[in-house]
Amino acid sequence: MANSKKPGGLREMLESMYSVIALLFILVACVELCDAAAAVDVYRLIQYDMSGSPFGSRFAALNHHAASLHFPPGVDLSRTVLIIPLRELNITFVREYINQKNPLGGLLVLLPEVLSFKTGGNKQVHEKEKMKNLLAELERLLVHSNIPYPVYFAFENDEIDTVLADIKKNDLMGQPATATTGGYKFVIPTAEPKKVASPTMTNIQGWLSGLKTDGDANQLPTIAIVASYDTFGAAPALSVGSDSNGSGIVALLEIARLFSLLYSNPKTRGRYNLLFGLTSGGPYNYNGTQKWLRSFDQRLRESIDYAICLNSIGSWDNELWIHVSKPPENAYIKQIFEGLSNVAEELDLKVGLKHKKINISNPRVAWEHEQFSRLRVTAATLSELSVTPELLESTGGLFDTRQYVNETAIVRGVKLVAESLARHIYGHQGKNIQIFADESSLAVNPAYIRSWLDVLSQTPRVAPFLSKDDPFVMALKKELAGHVDEVNVQHETLEGIFTFYDSTSARLNIYQVASVTFDLLLLLVLGSYLIVLFSFLVITTRGLDDLISLFRRPPSRKLKTA
């Protein structure tokens, strides 16, 4: 009885063992074929609509083979991702390719590590300057184009450099990656972008109340210092805007700190209220500033003597510009210009005046002070920019990083504005009196400026991808509250001609895939192995005759009948 069961048990054991071996072999082969060669963080080109017209990258998901710029002429790239290092970029080729609407599976631009806000960059200055102009031109092209395929940015590293070297080698040998030849495949498994519903903006305002004398029923005059804190760039997840407008935010916070020292003592508190405004929506016609100002009552608006808007003051050499909407002959404009000019002369700096009339019927707003001017409030913008920027330009960008901002320039800008304001508040116009003298207790603090500049240079701030409860927004509110008497926060919906889409960053998986020839060879080997395994199992369990009988031609029906 025991002997009769033994062959059956041995047979079942052999069948199980060989089945497991075959399964393991197949699994190992599949893992080897599908193992990722690299995985890198990538940042998608912005997607938005302006007045209903689509701009930016319109797709997010990727699943195509990769190629370099060394592809053969006339090749079909509709299912190919082009990987192009910025240092090798031919901007003419990219412009023509986009303008001619040539099909492409996707585009990946590799940025030098020097531009990364995460690493801070430490390469030569001349290399950074070389990349800056090229990247600025590329951004202008991509942001103002409708691109019907995914476009991503990534930073160079050892892994992706190795992959790119292999891709270039194959392309130069005339073996571009395809399903037939194999190569590298780029995969981003992400859902298609959706519209950002009810995008929010947050405005933060703070007050330093002036000193009222007993029996004075009149409202004190107000001076407003304003800076828009968000920025714009081709890749929202990378756009930190260290200069535009990180420098303006830092300057406003330092000015608030300096005057908080003066206003904390009743003996040195001025007879002016100081209003500090950190506004949102700057790149989008200063939409947040408009809503903030419209929330003021008429009495407050009429109390504002003038407003100084700070915009991009972190990379100038020796000259700043005052942009105004009212004519230079206007008494208030003269007062602002002369006040800044007198201090600038003492600091061995230059200040120029630029006048640009506003068109009330045109919703386009080039400078923040124009939103004040539309409500008949005297205002000016102080900036290193001498030319009025176009829409969505000079508002940050991938190149606007910490390495391009000079904190000494911000220190000088702060001293210029603070001294001018103080002389106006305390009636010392035209007098060579330094209230914020170096080495004094009221001196501008470079360490404070540096620390906040570092924070801003690591914080992407593209509206509407900053929520109202974003840690950065909360940090701004807390910092301003440490310098002023009262802080208020205003949440608004971004309105106007812009519609934005989500999906700003992703994880790119790079796979090294085999060619179809290799797949067929593997299939042949596996098939042969399974046939041999099957034959072996039949012979050992049923005998050779049973195996041969499987391949015999069955007798015909006529022969059976006979």
Side-chain angles (χ1 to χ4, degrees):
M1 193 75 167
N3 291 338
S4 64
K5 289 183 178 180
K6 188 174 181 180
L10 178 62
R11 181 181 61 193
E12 291 176 359
M13 183 181 71
L14 287 172
E15 288 177 350
S16 300
M17 182 180 69
Y18 287 124
S19 299
V20 169
I21 293 173
L23 182 60
L24 287 174
F25 184 85
I26 294 171
L27 287 175
V28 168
C30 290
V31 169
E32 187 64 28
L33 286 175
C34 300
D35 191 23
V40 297
D41 293 323
V42 291
Y43 309 91
R44 194 169 76 100
L45 173 67
I46 195 168
Q47 178 180 351
Y48 69 100
D49 300 337
M50 185 167 62
S51 299
S53 299
F55 292 95
S57 175
R58 310 308 296 183
F59 293 93
L62 261 184
N63 190 358
H64 296 306
H65 287 86
S68 67
L69 282 175
H70 303 290
F71 58 85
V75 68
D76 180 15
L77 298 177
S78 59
R79 296 190 60 79
T80 301
V81 181
L82 276 184
I83 176 170
I84 307 176
L86 181 64
R87 24 181 126 251
E88 299 175 12
L89 181 70
N90 184 333
I91 192 68
T92 303
F93 161 77
V94 176
R95 181 181 291 107
E96 291 178 354
Y97 209 90
I98 292 175
N99 291 341
Q100 293 172 7
K101 302 186 183 302
N102 292 331
L104 186 63
L107 177 63
L108 175 63
V109 180
L110 296 183
L111 304 175
E113 193 179 11
V114 68
L115 296 175
S116 172
F117 65 84
K118 294 182 178 180
T119 62
N122 55 4
K123 297 198 177 179
Q124 297 293 329
V125 174
H126 72 271
E127 182 182 359
K128 294 189 290 188
E129 289 298 328
K130 180 181 177 183
M131 294 296 102
K132 181 177 179 179
N133 295 333
L134 182 59
L135 186 54
E137 190 173 357
L138 176 64
E139 279 196 272
R140 281 194 295 269
L141 172 63
L142 296 178
V143 165
H144 296 289
S145 300
N146 176 9
I147 304 178
Y149 44 81
V151 178
Y152 283 92
F153 298 90
F155 289 104
E156 296 173 342
N157 58 36
D158 293 339
E159 283 185 316
I160 204 164
D161 287 348
T162 301
V163 170
L164 178 59
D166 284 349
I167 293 173
K168 286 182 178 179
K169 180 180 177 181
N170 293 335
D171 290 348
L172 289 171
M173 292 173 62
Q175 296 178 344
T178 63
T180 304
T181 61
Y184 286 92
K185 198 166 192 178
F186 286 3
V187 179
I188 299 178
T190 184
E192 288 308 314
K194 297 179 181 178
K195 291 182 179 179
V196 177
S198 302
T200 58
M201 300 182 300
T202 301
N203 297 319
I204 307 169
Q205 74 172 33
W207 280 95
L208 276 178
S209 301
L211 182 65
K212 291 187 72 171
T213 57
D214 294 337
D216 188 357
N218 295 324
Q219 183 172 354
L220 292 178
T222 300
I223 296 176
I225 302 95
V226 187
S228 177
Y229 66 79
D230 49 13
T231 186
F232 183 84
L238 288 180
S239 302
V240 297
S242 296
D243 191 10
S244 178
N245 190 28
S247 61
I249 303 169
V250 173
L252 182 145
L253 292 176
E254 174 64 355
I255 292 169
R257 188 190 70 83
L258 292 173
F259 277 95
S260 71
L261 298 175
L262 284 172
Y263 275 51
S264 62
N265 187 343
K267 294 182 179 180
T268 56
R269 184 183 302 173
R271 299 195 71 247
Y272 276 83
N273 295 322
L274 294 180
L275 171 62
F276 297 92
L278 291 164
T279 60
S280 182
Y284 319 121
N285 289 320
Y286 294 95
N287 192 249
T289 308
Q290 179 191 45
K291 291 178 179 294
W292 179 55
L293 292 176
R294 292 190 181 280
S295 69
F296 292 176
D297 59 36
Q298 186 65 26
R299 190 180 177 196
L300 173 56
R301 276 196 220 131
E302 291 177 351
S303 76
I304 299 177
D305 257 20
Y306 63 86
I308 292 289
C309 303
L310 306 173
N311 183 326
S312 303
I313 58 170
S315 58
W316 56 290
D317 292 323
N318 200 45
E319 186 170 19
L320 285 172
W321 296 91
I322 304 171
H323 298 270
V324 296
S325 299
K326 292 184 177 181
E329 298 79 21
N330 180 278
Y332 292 102
I333 298 301
K334 276 186 177 181
Q335 185 182 50
I336 296 172
F337 179 63
E338 288 176 1
L340 288 168
S341 295
N342 291 336
V343 176
E345 187 176 351
E346 295 168 15
L347 298 176
D348 198 24
L349 306 175
K350 294 181 180 179
V351 174
L353 186 67
K354 294 277 187 176
H355 171 232
K356 172 185 169 293
K357 287 186 66 175
I358 60 172
N359 183 357
I360 299 296
S361 61
N362 186 355
R364 166 78 175 108
V365 176
W367 301 106
E368 189 165 18
H369 74 265
E370 293 181 12
Q371 291 291 11
F372 286 84
S373 298
R374 286 169 181 262
L375 297 176
R376 302 185 183 280
V377 177
T378 302
T381 295
L382 185 68
S383 175
E384 69 206 15
L385 303 175
S386 61
V387 180
T388 301
E390 297 296 329
L391 184 63
L392 300 182
E393 294 189 8
S394 299
T395 54
L398 298 180
F399 58 86
D400 189 357
T401 57
R402 180 68 175 86
Q403 296 76 37
Y404 295 101
V405 177
N406 182 359
E407 62 194 55
T408 302
I410 301 178
V411 169
R412 294 192 297 168
V414 167
K415 192 166 186 178
L416 172 66
V417 175
E419 287 286 356
S420 174
L421 290 176
R423 293 185 187 186
H424 178 79
I425 291 170
Y426 297 105
H428 296 314
Q429 294 98 325
K431 299 177 182 178
N432 190 0
I433 298 175
Q434 287 199 27
I435 298 174
F436 303 102
D438 295 338
E439 309 301 331
S440 71
S441 60
L442 293 175
V444 177
N445 188 345
Y448 180 83
I449 289 174
R450 185 183 308 113
S451 63
W452 265 100
L453 187 58
D454 289 341
V455 170
L456 290 161
S457 299
Q458 297 175 27
T459 309
R461 304 185 310 282
V462 175
F465 303 107
L466 281 176
S467 67
K468 61 182 180 181
D469 298 322
D470 190 274
F472 170 74
V473 175
M474 296 297 100
L476 271 187
K477 175 188 174 184
K478 182 179 179 181
E479 186 64 23
L480 189 60
H483 303 316
V484 300
D485 302 328
E486 178 187 350
V487 170
N488 296 314
V489 176
Q490 177 191 51
H491 302 298
E492 295 286 352
T493 300
L494 176 61
E495 297 174 347
I497 61 177
F498 293 95
T499 302
F500 294 92
Y501 295 77
D502 60 12
S503 186
T504 60
S505 61
R507 187 76 169 167
L508 169 66
N509 295 307
I510 303 175
Y511 297 98
Q512 188 169 14
V513 294
S515 66
V516 170
T517 304
F518 180 81
D519 291 341
L520 292 175
L521 180 61
L522 179 62
L523 182 61
L524 179 62
V525 171
L526 287 174
S528 301
Y529 170 78
L530 293 175
I531 292 172
V532 171
L533 177 61
F534 175 78
S535 301
F536 176 76
L537 292 175
V538 172
I539 292 172
T540 56
T541 57
R542 297 184 181 180
L544 181 61
D545 289 340
D546 283 352
L547 177 63
I548 295 173
S549 67
L550 292 174
F551 298 96
R552 283 179 182 161
R553 184 177 179 180
S556 66
R557 185 175 299 178
K558 290 182 179 180
L559 185 60
K560 286 183 178 180
T561 303

